Amino acid sequence: MSAAGVSDDINCENPKELYEKAEEYWANAPRDDDGMLGGFAHLHKPDITQSRNFLSGLHKKGFLSSNEYAIDCGAGIGRVTKHLLLPAFKKVDMVELVKKLVEKSDSYIGPNPSMGEKFVSGLQDFVPEKGKYDLIWIQWVSGHLTNRDFTDFFIRCKDGLRENGLICLKENLSDSGKPLFDDEDHSWTRPESLVIELFNEAGLTVVASEQQRLFPKGMYPVKMFAMKPTTSVTKAQAKTNMPTLI
Ligand SMILES: C[S@@+](CC[C@H](N)C(=O)[O-])C[C@H]1O[C@@H](n2cnc3c(N)ncnc32)[C@H](O)[C@@H]1O
């Protein structure tokens, strides 16, 4: 049980109250880079720079062959959409739980002909359109989902991929071996072993991964994972499935 009196069980069957608390937290967060980064606006630059390099490496290795359509999941005001995805894709959609943040994204991103649809929805309910996306990017939001909703969401993401499409997760990881609950924003930080277990349950194989550099000591490790549906991964691709920890 969390301090707010709601269940903090990552396997809880009825997370409605927990999800409402998280929504309340984000509805009241500052609608700027600092708010999206929990007061660490200075992490914006190293975050985006390394994500950009990671994406370009995925293109070079042939894991991503098209730059038609991407979606930013748990997009907030559109920080990742604006700085990472719009410069790299012809069309970008975003999905975000909090309506006020989606509204703010209009002025934050500014007019851009590549901006696609903006969905107001929790990822626990969102169904990506079948076969639409080359890249589904999920950053600093998956900790808001219970294990079941996490797995089910990634299963639906698989269906949303175009041929040779890719799902990327960028997330904090717990190094204590178990999920840690944050009473303030009502999210969990999972250990890497659990994240990989849930990917496997969702039928996804990690084809590349990389740890974020240049973040201050004392913060959770942050890692990017690029995944493909296990059924579509060739032997050669599976061979490269080794963490590129730097
Ligand atoms: C830490 S912020 C990260 C925002 C953005 N991904 C970024 O990196 O700038 C977390 C975001 O996830 C959103 N969020 C929280 N729970 C969610 C859920 N269940 N479904 C979709 N978005 C959610 C919050 O409203 C907030 O915008």
Side-chain angles (χ1 to χ4, degrees), residues 26 36 74 76 79 96-98 101 122-124 139-141 144:
W26 286 109
M36 295 299 100
R79 189 184 66 84
E96 161 58 44
L97 174 72
V98 176
L101 296 177
L123 300 187
Q124 62 276 17
Q139 179 163 354
W140 283 325
V141 62
H144 281 291

Side-chain angles (χ1 to χ4, degrees), residues 11-208:
N11 290 308
C12 92
E13 287 296 319
N14 186 8
K16 188 172 171 280
E17 238 190 304
L18 190 74
Y19 287 174
E20 282 169 2
K21 289 271 173 209
E23 182 167 2
E24 194 182 314
Y25 173 86
W26 286 109
N28 291 301
R31 295 193 276 278
D32 54 21
D33 286 348
D34 208 39
M36 295 299 100
L37 294 170
F40 294 94
H42 58 288
L43 301 184
H44 169 73
K45 206 167 167 213
D47 163 47
I48 295 292
T49 303
Q50 201 173 324
S51 298
R52 206 176 278 150
N53 292 340
F54 185 62
L55 266 191
S56 110
L58 293 168
H59 271 292
K60 281 188 197 136
K61 287 179 192 155
F63 288 130
L64 197 56
S65 42
S66 172
N67 63 345
E68 288 297 318
Y69 225 129
I71 182 165
D72 180 7
C73 299
I77 58 171
R79 189 184 66 84
V80 172
T81 297
K82 175 173 178 166
H83 298 281
L84 177 69
L85 301 178
L86 280 169
F89 287 83
K90 290 186 189 155
K91 209 80 185 170
V92 181
D93 290 348
M94 51 188 267
V95 51
E96 161 58 44
L97 174 72
V98 176
K99 192 164 176 243
K100 278 195 221 172
L101 296 177
V102 175
E103 284 165 357
K104 173 68 192 181
S105 74
D106 292 344
S107 62
Y108 177 83
I109 295 171
N112 188 318
S114 294
M115 192 64 236
E117 292 185 80
K118 295 181 178 184
F119 304 101
V120 180
S121 170
L123 300 187
Q124 62 276 17
D125 302 315
F126 183 65
V127 184
E129 192 182 314
K130 208 171 164 43
K132 186 174 185 182
Y133 300 108
D134 296 302
L135 177 71
I136 299 181
W137 189 272
I138 304 150
Q139 179 163 354
W140 283 325
V141 62
S142 69
H144 281 291
L145 301 179
T146 60
N147 283 341
R148 160 135 347 145
D149 282 338
F150 181 112
T151 309
D152 288 350
F153 174 62
F154 277 87
I155 289 172
R156 295 194 298 276
C157 284
K158 276 196 311 189
D159 289 339
L161 290 179
R162 296 178 67 193
E163 208 186 321
N164 203 25
L166 206 56
I167 301 172
C168 281
L169 174 75
K170 186 164 189 172
E171 196 50 89
N172 294 345
L173 298 172
S174 136
D175 42 18
S176 75
K178 54 180 182 74
L180 300 175
F181 186 72
D182 181 332
D183 240 334
E184 205 184 344
D185 69 359
H186 293 82
S187 71
W188 295 274
T189 303
R190 293 180 168 87
E192 182 166 357
S193 55
L194 178 55
V195 171
I196 299 289
E197 193 183 315
L198 299 179
F199 289 160
N200 288 340
E201 269 176 36
L204 288 165
T205 294
V206 178
V207 293

